[in-house]
Amino acid sequence: MSMWCLNPECAFLAEDEPARDGDTPWECPQCGELTFENARTAEVSRTATLNVEASVTLKVSISFWHSWARIAIAAAKQSAHWRAEADAAQEGHKAGDLSREFDAAVLAVAASAFTLDSFYASLAVPLAARRAARAKLNPKAARHVVVRTSLQECFATDHPTRQKWSTDLPWLFNLRDATVHPEQLFEDTVALPDGSMSTARREDYTALSAARAVGVMLDVLEFCADHPGTAYPEAATWASSGNRGGVGSLADWWHAKGWHPMDAAVGRN
């Protein structure tokens, strides 16, 4: 029988080799590799492999919404931590912790909005649903309106949910817009917890607002995972392909005992 060396750098073909069972190795006379394969079988196998490789194109995508959700939750937890540190600090030593609370809250708010923005553009909401939503809206409609309308197009939202989203999403996206498209203005001052004076806008970004932002984000994701609509099969496919569990894991992390930013913010650890 003919034997073919399986070493890809050798591929020596040996003619008239004696037959052997599958447990008996064959030493290639050219490279010394202890491997063998029947030449006829190998030829068929390699040809089939080459044909498959020539006809298949592999494409992948990244779900940014899940990454932004993790970033938002981590930042909200950090914001709560620094607020708790500030509350425990002596007078005159709170400013640094409050600044860290603010920075983390800004990130939590922005990342929560980015999560929903990315989710709106994900495989869960097909292009047809987004186009149908935009066809109902003014071309200059605010981003939160486009996102909310697209989700309502794709998922089975009831009246209470639509009302809640119409309040929560403008609040979240307006705070996000103020951080990513800022206009620096001189405004009236308010007293901060450390006794210093700053703009009232700074009070928009605290551990409490960070916690609310993450809550809004998770509320939308959990609803969508549990209520895929029937108009677009992609929504049901998204929910059933492990994403319901993924959203649940995010919520579990957020609500884990001893780790909820709302608890830390009010000293309930």
Side-chain angles (χ1 to χ4, degrees):
M1 64 182 300
S2 299
M3 304 301 295
W4 199 339
C5 177
L6 295 182
N7 180 355
E9 297 180 357
C10 176
F12 179 74
L13 179 63
E15 303 286 357
D16 301 322
E17 288 289 313
R20 50 182 31 87
D21 59 42
D23 296 326
T24 305
W26 171 68
E27 182 176 346
C28 175
Q30 178 167 287
C31 70
E33 191 82 19
L34 291 175
T35 180
F36 71 90
E37 185 172 14
N38 178 278
R40 181 177 178 80
T41 303
E43 180 64 29
V44 172
S45 174
R46 294 183 188 195
T47 301
T49 300
L50 289 173
N51 288 339
V52 170
E53 290 176 349
S55 62
V56 174
T57 300
L58 179 64
K59 295 184 178 181
V60 298
S61 63
I62 299 176
S63 296
F64 281 105
W65 67 267
H66 201 274
S67 294
W68 279 121
R70 293 196 302 268
I71 292 170
I73 292 172
K77 291 177 182 293
Q78 282 296 310
S79 184
H81 167 77
W82 291 119
R83 182 54 179 261
E85 289 290 305
D87 289 344
Q90 296 180 354
E91 294 300 327
H93 298 278
K94 298 178 181 287
D97 292 335
L98 289 174
S99 291
R100 296 182 185 95
E101 175 202 11
F102 174 80
D103 292 346
V106 167
L107 179 56
V109 167
S112 294
F114 293 157
T115 299
L116 298 184
D117 222 339
S118 300
F119 178 66
Y120 148 82
S122 73
L123 296 177
V125 186
L127 182 59
R130 284 176 263 156
R131 286 176 172 169
R134 285 189 174 275
K136 300 176 181 179
L137 300 172
N138 185 303
K140 295 183 178 180
R143 185 67 170 180
H144 63 81
V145 176
V146 175
V147 171
R148 174 171 54 83
T149 306
S150 297
L151 296 183
Q152 291 173 183
E153 184 78 23
C154 204
F155 296 92
T157 55
D158 54 15
H159 181 67
T161 299
R162 290 192 294 271
Q163 278 194 317
K164 191 173 189 304
W165 288 2
S166 66
T167 299
D168 288 345
L169 295 191
W171 172 84
L172 176 60
F173 276 73
N174 287 339
L175 284 191
R176 185 277 300 268
D177 291 347
T179 67
V180 297
H181 305 294
E183 182 178 0
Q184 191 166 5
L185 302 171
F186 289 100
E187 300 173 306
D188 293 336
T189 58
V190 297
L192 298 181
D194 65 343
S196 64
M197 304 298 291
S198 183
T199 171
R201 187 181 299 251
R202 177 155 181 161
E203 287 296 277
D204 289 336
Y205 304 95
T206 64
L208 293 177
S209 56
R212 180 183 175 188
V214 169
V216 168
M217 174 263 290
L218 286 176
D219 177 70
V220 172
L221 292 179
E222 288 184 296
F223 182 91
C224 292
D226 291 336
H227 300 85
T230 57
Y232 298 92
E234 292 89 343
T237 299
W238 170 82
S240 63
S241 60
N243 286 292
R244 180 181 285 107
V247 171
S249 296
L250 291 170
D252 288 344
W253 179 30
W254 174 243
H255 293 294
K257 183 178 180 181
W259 278 100
H260 197 296
M262 287 293 286
D263 290 341
V266 296
R268 295 200 310 266
N269 285 321

